[in-house]
Amino acid sequence: MSLGSWLELIASGLITGGVYALVALGLNLQYGLMRILNIAHGEFLMLGAFLTWAAHTTLGLSPLAMIPLAFVLLGASGLAIHKLVFAKLTRSSPNLDVFEARGLMVSFGLMFLVQNLAQSVWGGDLRGYDYLTDPVAIGGAQFAANKLLLLALALAISGALIALLRLTLLGKGVRALMQSPTGAQLVGIDTQKLHPLMFGLGLGLSGVAGCLLSMTYTISPSMGEPYTVTALIVITLGGFGSMTGALVGGLGLGVIEALGMHFTNPSLKALLSYAIFIAVLLWKPNGLFTRK
């Protein structure tokens, strides 16, 4: 293989991994902070993708303009869902184990609800549009401009979230709750405000990931579920609660999948991902970047 071919292969993996990281960051935030394993997380990626497609094809709105709109719309829906569903589950559950089990069941129902709602509105056909498809030459390799843009934005947004959690007072509160919920509450951190805010932030990130995906790939109402599964694999690799681990794990998994599909068979993509998932669980069950 030439240097250009290697660059294209690794860049392809990083582009896919950037989306994985964005979705995993949101899910990791929800589970690490609130112990909500939101199986419906990927469905909000799908909603973000369809909202961007609809706005671009019917209103002529740029997908880039839809990024903040998708974040706000999906983030607001996250605030509403947390208030209507998960906040009530928190109050009615006698302990954390019961809450996790009930939350998991509710999120399964939410997944099918959102998926069928999208199918009834937009149908089950594949959708897509052309945006910045002209090739860009870098180091002897050819890349579609929209894919390079996807990677750059995914890295920038992921980096901004990690910086928010590391450098701001809000982020310190979130990290304190992840490390010791009881201790954080004893020093005055308000979980009643942080929990819905972070749940909404997680769904907002998922919507942004869907917006970016719609610029480069075809979309369908069933596209969300595989991304939820992949996000679970990524946060297992990086460690539950580790934002840096989710970013590195997402990018790493994307590259490994790209190399594996190239040198073996594209149909083995899922098998390769699950093999890595099982190996990490057996070798380092707390993840490669265990949160301190």
Side-chain angles (χ1 to χ4, degrees), residues 23-212:
V23 182
L25 282 168
L27 186 59
N28 207 6
L29 194 60
Q30 293 171 354
Y31 186 78
L33 184 62
M34 294 161 277
R35 291 299 184 266
I36 298 174
L37 191 56
N38 184 17
I39 300 300
H41 194 72
E43 308 314 308
F44 294 89
L45 173 146
M46 176 268 295
L47 286 181
F50 268 100
L51 289 173
T52 304
W53 167 80
H56 182 71
T57 55
T58 60
L59 302 176
L61 197 62
S62 167
L64 295 180
M66 275 302 296
I67 291 175
L69 286 176
F71 179 78
V72 170
L73 290 173
L74 274 299
S77 72
L79 292 174
I81 289 169
H82 187 275
K83 181 178 180 180
L84 295 173
V85 179
F86 293 106
K88 292 185 177 181
L89 282 181
T90 302
R91 292 192 295 268
S92 63
S93 300
N95 55 58
L96 184 59
D97 291 337
V98 172
F99 171 74
E100 284 194 57
R102 289 176 178 177
L104 184 61
M105 294 300 103
V106 167
S107 67
F108 264 113
L110 187 62
M111 177 184 73
F112 292 118
L113 177 65
V114 174
Q115 192 175 118
N116 282 278
L117 178 64
Q119 190 160 353
S120 67
V121 173
W122 292 298
D125 297 333
L126 293 174
R127 308 286 186 175
Y129 58 89
D130 291 331
Y131 182 74
L132 296 179
T133 55
D134 295 334
V136 176
I138 300 177
Q142 295 278 341
F143 304 98
N146 54 10
K147 292 188 176 182
L148 292 177
L149 181 62
L150 184 158
L151 176 59
L153 290 174
L155 291 176
I157 294 168
S158 299
L161 175 64
I162 292 172
L164 173 73
L165 295 178
R166 286 185 176 274
L167 303 177
T168 67
L169 186 60
L170 173 66
K172 290 179 181 179
V174 171
R175 289 188 288 118
L177 275 173
M178 285 183 174
Q179 292 173 6
S180 176
T182 303
Q185 291 178 59
L186 287 175
V187 297
I189 295 176
D190 190 352
T191 60
Q192 300 301 317
K193 292 181 179 179
L194 266 185
H195 282 182
L197 182 63
M198 291 301 109
F199 190 85
L201 177 60
L203 290 195
L205 288 174
S206 188
V208 169
C211 180
L212 296 178

